[in-house]
Amino acid sequence: MKKLFFVFFSFLIIALAVCATLFGLMNTRLATPIASWLISQWSPNEIEFSQVEYDFPYHIKLQQPKWQTGSEILGFHQVDIWLNSQIYQDGKWLIDSVLFDGGELNQLPELNQLTSHIQLHQLALHNITINQDDYQIAGLSLQVKNPTWTHDGQELPYGEIQLAAQEWHWQGEEATNLLIDANYQPQDSTIYGMTLNWRGGQISGQAEQYPQGWSLVNVTVNHLTLPESITQQLDYKWQSLPFVIHHINSLDLLNSNITWQGIQLINADLSLENTDLDGLIPSQGTLSLHADTAQWLGVQWVDPNTTLAFANHHLIIQDFTSSVLQGNIQLAGQWTDEGLHLTSLTAQGLKWFGDKASDLEQIPVIPDWDNLQIDSLSLDNIQLIQTAQKPFWQLSGLNIEGQNTQLLKSGHIGLWSGSLRLSANSASLGDTITSQSLLEMHSEQGVWQLSRAFLPFQQGYLDATAQWDFGQGSGPWQLKAHGDGVPVDLINQYLNIPFQVSALAEADIDLSGLGGNALVLMHTLTGKAAVSLRQGIATLKYDNTTVIQPFGVDNIQMRADRGRITIPEISLTGAGLKASLFGDVDLVAPDAGQLLLKTEQGCQNVNFDLLRDKTLVSECPATK
């Protein structure tokens, strides 16, 4: 703190002595030894310099000054002192200007002790390097008009400041070509102009200081690049700033690339207006944003545009539009601590194609939010196609209409309230195709009801209703369905049985139970189903033999009682076919049950154990 005080005091001794008695000798070869002798007599510090020059009447120049304070040696290439013509007034020595040129310091000198002895009009530094533990500056030039120090530990004096630096390093960040023109005061400071380069961007603007902190008046940032590795640290670095930014009057971010919270913006333009900040989080204000493209949820968004407002730490989405998945989307709503509440969500012509395994990892899904409500939902002419793995599936001409829907509650997906209507021009799963299908459902207080599910097939239909109270932990449910001409080929994809089946089914189903979890479901499944199969073809393979057998089944009566399913023995009919099916299965312990298909083919009896995927073949006894 006292380092530069002694330097100034020593320089002042030289200046006064020379001007008062020896100014005539300062332009001779005796100037340097005379000044050295004066300093050695009056200064408590050991000060050296290679040469002193005196320009009559007020300018003194010291070449290569060096002095020691404690264990540290300070030095500059040159120090220039311009004395005031009045020299001394009101108990203080008057100095017009002091310039320190070229040198390396561990910190800016603290000169607050000078104010009681010296009145300095201007302090200047040129081409100085400062190496602090928490920051480093290279190529620093500083000019302070009427510098004032008011307390210990104050490195930068108050006053009218012009600052330039080639490089400024802090918290692992580097700013270059820094220029600041400011009036620095104990309070109500003003930055008239500031420019710097940081992270590939050019930053310029003005700022004003208020009791609550700094306000950015008109700041423009162009071509900034912020990768996610940096934005993840922004909150910590923001909190580490030696000053507080509490307000943004106007901030324009132009032509910038930013990745934040999993959202990547390419060539983005962002504008913040009249915004109050709580740390990095806006509490009041407005934001408008446009980008050429954005990446979010594994999806590319083209020309996203949004206008946001901040109020009481809530994010109000006044409008959001974007092209995405070859279609368009528009929404508005509000994001709060409780979740996302959209007043409207509309989309047209969205298309998703999954033809490789990696596509399945990027299926658009609802983010991991706590709650999601949509007052008005309209998705028109949506197309989804998956050919990456069997069974292939597709939905074309999908339309979804919803009113007052809550789709997420406490992180759990479902229709918790409101109504949904889904229709599709065409839908397929494997070889099963339905057209003009319709689903209508609604929910109130966690009780979900499927009021109608109608799936037309090429030779029939399936009609179903259901109810599920997922508001209760036990999740009581019931399902009723009737179908005629329903293709059953899909069971070949999902059941591990030793033959292939193709048939059309007529079915009446009435089931109920509890759906709290899979184990509860297996314990509580209760009801009945009546099924008949026609136009059936079974492809049986055993002992390197393939048998294609037409068949039919009338009135299979299946009953379920608390997870135990019983199928009484029934006969299968068909040309040259003699077969029967029966079973008794407990879903909780399926290995202990049985489900057998017995067939007789000529002199062979072939039994299929459907639960264990086994085939037993026995030959007819030989005749004598």
Side-chain angles (χ1 to χ4, degrees):
M1 183 175 64
K2 297 179 180 180
K3 296 174 184 177
L4 213 54
F5 168 74
F6 291 120
V7 177
F8 265 119
F9 192 70
S10 300
F11 293 162
L12 182 60
I13 292 172
I14 297 172
L16 294 176
V18 169
C19 291
T21 60
L22 299 173
F23 67 86
L25 298 175
M26 294 301 286
N27 288 312
T28 73
R29 59 185 178 85
L30 299 177
T32 300
I34 290 172
S36 298
W37 178 79
L38 288 172
I39 291 176
S40 66
Q41 296 298 309
W42 293 328
S43 173
N45 292 78
E46 182 179 341
I47 299 179
E48 299 176 358
F49 44 85
S50 62
Q51 185 178 350
V52 60
E53 299 177 12
Y54 171 61
D55 294 328
F56 180 83
Y58 305 118
H59 181 206
I60 299 174
K61 181 187 299 183
L62 300 180
Q63 298 288 350
Q64 304 294 327
K66 184 186 301 182
W67 64 96
Q68 184 169 356
T69 60
S71 60
E72 186 176 0
I73 297 177
L74 301 179
F76 296 93
H77 296 318
Q78 181 175 301
V79 174
D80 290 82
I81 302 174
W82 286 269
L83 303 174
N84 187 272
S85 60
Q86 299 185 27
I87 303 298
Y88 190 82
Q89 187 179 42
D90 298 329
K92 292 186 178 182
W93 301 105
L94 305 183
I95 299 179
D96 281 347
S97 181
V98 175
L99 170 62
F100 293 86
D101 191 357
E104 185 170 336
L105 305 174
N106 291 329
Q107 63 182 25
L108 278 174
E110 302 170 9
L111 305 176
N112 56 301
Q113 293 190 10
L114 286 176
T115 56
S116 60
H117 305 282
I118 295 173
Q119 182 175 326
L120 180 62
H121 178 68
Q122 180 174 278
L123 172 66
L125 304 177
H126 178 258
N127 196 24
I128 302 298
T129 297
I130 298 178
N131 294 311
Q132 278 276 44
D133 291 338
D134 54 350
Y135 70 88
Q136 298 81 41
I137 305 175
L140 172 66
S141 294
L142 175 68
Q143 182 173 295
V144 185
K145 186 177 180 180
N146 297 320
T148 304
W149 292 265
T150 62
H151 57 274
D152 292 344
Q154 180 183 347
E155 295 186 355
L156 185 64
Y158 297 119
E160 297 180 22
I161 291 177
Q162 291 181 327
L163 182 149
Q166 296 175 3
E167 296 179 7
W168 192 311
H169 297 264
W170 174 79
Q171 295 283 347
E173 299 297 327
E174 178 186 72
T176 60
N177 300 326
L178 175 64
L179 296 173
I180 296 177
D181 182 10
N183 183 18
Y184 181 40
Q185 301 297 326
Q187 58 185 15
D188 300 333
S189 298
T190 302
I191 297 178
Y192 302 115
M194 176 184 65
T195 63
L196 71 149
N197 297 333
W198 175 62
R199 290 282 170 185
Q202 298 84 46
I203 303 173
S204 62
Q206 301 85 42
E208 295 177 344
Q209 185 188 32
Y210 294 91
Q212 305 94 322
W214 283 87
S215 172
L216 304 183
V217 178
N218 291 298
V219 175
T220 300
V221 183
N222 203 356
H223 295 290
L224 182 66
T225 299
L226 291 181
E228 190 167 11
S229 59
I230 298 304
T231 57
Q232 290 174 346
Q233 305 173 28
L234 280 183
D235 184 63
Y236 163 75
K237 293 184 177 181
W238 188 272
Q239 300 295 335
S240 301
L241 288 173
F243 51 85
V244 174
I245 298 176
H246 85 100
H247 179 77
I248 296 175
N249 180 66
S250 175
L251 170 62
D252 293 318
L253 193 65
L254 307 175
N255 308 306
S256 296
N257 300 322
I258 300 172
T259 302
W260 180 76
Q261 297 288 319
I263 302 173
Q264 183 181 22
L265 301 174
I266 305 299
N267 200 26
D269 295 335
L270 179 153
S271 180
L272 273 170
E273 300 288 339
N274 197 27
T275 301
D276 293 336
L277 298 178
D278 182 5
L280 267 176
I281 306 301
S283 58
Q284 302 286 337
T286 60
L287 179 148
S288 59
L289 170 67
H290 170 265
D292 285 354
T293 61
Q295 290 283 342
W296 184 49
L297 300 176
V299 176
Q300 184 179 64
W301 305 71
V302 180
D303 285 329
N305 285 278
T306 187
T307 301
L308 309 175
F310 307 96
N312 300 320
H313 295 90
H314 292 175
L315 175 62
I316 301 170
I317 307 169
Q318 296 178 343
D319 185 53
F320 174 86
T321 60
S322 180
S323 298
V324 61
L325 297 175
Q326 305 181 48
N328 299 289
I329 190 170
Q330 183 175 11
L331 60 87
Q334 180 172 273
W335 202 331
T336 67
D337 294 338
E338 289 75 31
L340 181 62
H341 185 173
L342 297 179
T343 55
S344 65
L345 171 59
T346 62
Q348 303 85 28
L350 304 185
K351 296 179 177 65
W352 178 82
F353 300 93
D355 57 1
K356 51 185 180 297
S358 59
D359 294 334
L360 302 181
E361 301 174 359
Q362 299 178 356
I363 297 177
V365 296
I366 296 177
D368 187 18
W369 297 327
D370 286 337
N371 296 285
L372 173 61
Q373 291 179 260
I374 306 175
D375 296 342
S376 177
L377 173 64
S378 178
L379 307 181
D380 299 325
N381 196 25
I382 310 301
Q383 186 176 46
L384 307 173
I385 298 176
Q386 188 277 129
T387 59
Q389 62 184 27
K390 292 184 177 181
F392 303 149
W393 55 263
Q394 66 88 22
L395 286 167
S396 297
L398 173 65
N399 301 297
I400 304 176
E401 303 294 329
Q403 295 295 323
N404 302 317
T405 60
Q406 183 173 9
L407 302 179
L408 283 175
K409 183 176 182 180
S410 300
H412 300 290
I413 191 170
L415 181 60
W416 292 87
S417 64
S419 61
L420 277 177
R421 186 180 189 273
L422 295 82
S423 62
N425 293 335
S426 174
S428 64
L429 180 61
D431 295 329
T432 302
I433 302 174
T434 177
S435 59
Q436 304 303 321
S437 54
L438 175 66
L439 296 176
E440 293 179 342
M441 63 190 73
H442 65 276
S443 184
E444 185 175 354
Q445 296 180 347
V447 179
W448 173 79
Q449 295 189 51
L450 178 65
S451 52
R452 189 181 187 193
F454 184 69
L455 306 177
F457 301 101
Q458 186 176 3
Q459 300 182 57
Y461 69 93
L462 176 66
D463 200 352
T465 61
Q467 178 175 304
W468 182 15
D469 187 354
F470 45 70
Q472 297 187 42
S474 58
W477 61 272
Q478 62 180 28
L479 168 68
K480 294 183 178 181
H482 172 73
D484 190 6
V486 179
V488 300
D489 305 54
L490 279 178
I491 65 173
N492 299 318
Q493 298 282 347
Y494 297 102
L495 295 182
N496 187 25
I497 55 178
F499 54 85
Q500 300 288 305
V501 175
S502 174
L504 297 177
E506 179 181 355
D508 284 290
I509 299 172
D510 188 354
L511 299 173
S512 64
L514 300 177
N517 55 52
L519 183 60
V520 171
L521 175 64
M522 291 187 293
H523 268 293
T524 61
L525 178 66
T526 300
K528 59 184 179 180
V531 179
S532 297
L533 301 177
R534 64 177 187 269
Q535 300 179 25
I537 296 177
T539 302
L540 313 176
K541 294 183 179 181
Y542 56 91
D543 287 352
N544 296 320
T545 301
T546 299
V547 176
I548 298 177
Q549 175 65 58
F551 74 95
V553 181
D554 290 327
N555 199 23
I556 304 175
Q557 295 290 330
M558 295 182 288
R559 294 186 177 276
D561 182 15
R562 290 174 292 181
R564 294 183 292 273
I565 300 174
T566 301
I567 303 175
E569 186 171 1
I570 57 170
S571 297
L572 281 70
T573 61
L577 174 65
K578 186 176 182 181
S580 63
L581 174 70
F582 63 92
D584 189 357
V585 179
D586 188 342
L587 294 179
V588 179
D591 293 340
Q594 63 177 352
L595 181 59
L596 299 179
L597 173 64
K598 294 184 177 182
T599 67
E600 184 176 325
Q601 300 285 338
C603 286
Q604 280 187 330
N605 292 326
V606 182
N607 297 333
F608 297 94
D609 188 341
L610 302 184
L611 290 182
R612 299 165 181 82
D613 190 18
K614 292 181 179 181
T615 303
L616 177 63
V617 180
S618 59
E619 300 290 341
C620 298
T623 57
K624 295 182 181 181

